[in-house]
């Protein structure tokens, strides 16, 4: 979890286990926000509880590391009710997890719900395939797609922050 007091946005990335895709998204988005000078609360969670407390998958740590980002300090947690009030954006990595997020949303939750690739022109609604049962190449593919989505969200929120200031 990162951010300062003047942050306008809180972004939570959600996948199934919170050990592969959403930890990579958290790392990639945190770096993208920092590069842009966008102060933002960033975290990730899973819709499932199987891996609560675990470090990200070694293959996710490795691919992030090859891209200059350290995600080894993250620990998996499950999405909870407070998340729908603490974060302005809850961003799912695939359709099933977006539905899982929706199913848990309190009636008066304030977060807007979206998918990672919604911010990428022409790729709205596209899922990020689960690399968990794949090989190292699947993690490289996942990283490049996730990085594209994370950078697009950082651009979008930076624009929004500028509009709010104007
Ligand atoms: P993630 O990948 O949702 O990207 O973290 C998975 C991690 C674990 C499992 C499935 C997907 N699992 O079935 O344990």
């Amino acid at each position: 979890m990162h951010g300062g007091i003047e942050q306008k946005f809180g972004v939570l990335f959600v996948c199934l286990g919170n050990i592969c895709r959403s930890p990579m998204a958290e790392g990639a988005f945190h770096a993208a926000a920092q590069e842009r000078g966008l102060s933002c609360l960033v975290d990730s969670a899973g819709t499932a509880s199987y891996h609560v407390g675990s470090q990200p998958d070694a293959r996710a740590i490795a691919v992030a590391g090859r891209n200059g980002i350290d995600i080894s300090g993250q620990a998996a947690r499950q999405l909870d009710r407070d998340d729908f009030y603490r974060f302005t954006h809850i961003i799912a990595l695939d359709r099933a997890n977006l539905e899982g997020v929706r199913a848990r949303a309190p009636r008066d939750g304030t977060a807007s719900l979206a998918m990672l690739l919604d911010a990428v022109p022409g790729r709205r609604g596209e899922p990020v395939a689960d690399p968990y049962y794949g090989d190292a190449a699947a993690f490289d593919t996942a990283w490049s797609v996730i990085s594209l989505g994370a950078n697009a969200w950082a651009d979008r929120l930076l624009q929004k922050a500028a509009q709010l200031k104007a």
Side-chain angles (χ1 to χ4, degrees):
M1 195 87 78
H2 311 271
I5 46 168
E6 82 284 21
Q7 61 208 359
K8 292 182 173 63
F9 301 109
V11 181
L12 180 70
F13 295 97
V14 177
C15 63
L16 182 64
N18 192 211
I19 55 166
C20 298
R21 291 165 293 173
S22 61
M24 293 192 275
E26 177 185 341
F29 181 83
H30 181 247
Q34 222 165 26
E35 275 167 21
R36 289 163 177 77
L38 177 70
S39 169
C40 194
L41 175 71
V42 189
D43 198 9
S44 62
T47 54
S49 61
Y50 328 123
H51 298 283
V52 168
S54 301
Q55 202 180 28
D57 187 285
R59 298 163 297 175
I61 293 175
V63 73
R66 287 197 293 281
N67 289 277
I69 294 169
D70 180 10
I71 64 167
S72 65
Q74 295 185 31
R77 71 170 181 89
Q78 192 173 19
L79 177 70
D80 68 32
R81 196 172 193 283
D82 284 352
D83 291 328
F84 291 91
Y85 306 93
R86 289 173 54 223
F87 293 91
T88 55
H89 294 75
I90 298 181
I91 301 179
L93 276 285
D94 64 22
R95 177 68 48 192
N97 285 297
L98 178 62
E99 293 313 320
V101 170
R102 256 197 203 120
R104 289 166 178 76
R107 247 174 227 288
D108 64 346
T110 46
S112 47
L113 312 184
M115 281 174 70
L116 183 70
L117 294 180
D118 285 354
V120 180
R123 300 191 67 170
R124 192 183 167 76
E126 258 185 56
V128 177
D130 187 355
Y132 187 64
Y133 296 104
D135 54 11
F139 277 80
D140 277 315
T141 304
W143 178 268
S144 50
V145 177
I146 286 169
S147 168
L148 186 71
N151 278 278
W153 273 103
D155 283 338
R156 181 182 279 197
L157 295 184
L158 188 67
Q159 257 184 7
K160 271 202 170 188
Q163 283 165 3
L164 291 173
K165 232 186 252 173

